[in-house]
Amino acid sequence: MPDCPGAAVLEDRLAEVLANHPAAEVDRQVIATQEEAERAGMTGSPTLLLDGRDPFARAGQQPAISCRLYRDADGRSGPAPSVAQLRAVLDVRAGDA
């Protein structure tokens, strides 16, 4: 969504995770309306979709045009998935070439 405070955090963490994977494709979209969120499958901002699916969505979570918080392994909330969480869903290891 426009001016999402978590978007820059997600961008930075994705860049770190994908640093050794130049062939990875990232498509960025700004979602501004509830209808766009529903079409895109965005369950809050920022949302990461992998092959059209949100790997961090909770069961029953509905599309939304709102800020989203993510919980890390210790239950702390933050504006984006942690680097470890991103590596896990992307199956990317630190130092992979």
Side-chain angles (χ1 to χ4, degrees), residues 6-94:
V9 177
L10 179 57
E11 291 268 344
D12 289 346
R13 291 177 183 174
L14 268 177
E16 180 178 339
V17 170
L18 298 175
N20 294 323
H21 301 276
E25 294 182 27
V26 177
D27 178 31
R28 294 161 182 85
Q29 295 180 4
V30 176
I31 304 295
T33 68
Q34 180 64 30
E35 293 76 26
E36 290 174 342
E38 290 169 7
R39 280 194 302 275
M42 184 179 93
T43 52
S45 186
T47 291
L48 173 70
L49 298 177
L50 297 175
D51 297 325
R53 134 184 130 67
D54 181 351
F56 299 104
R58 296 181 314 272
Q61 192 171 5
Q62 298 297 310
I65 185 85
S66 60
C67 286
R68 178 175 180 178
L69 293 176
Y70 291 82
R71 299 238 177 245
D72 67 14
D74 296 322
R76 292 181 301 248
S77 63
S82 69
V83 168
Q85 289 170 312
L86 290 169
R87 281 195 176 111
V89 300
L90 295 169
D91 197 27
V92 174
R93 308 286 189 277

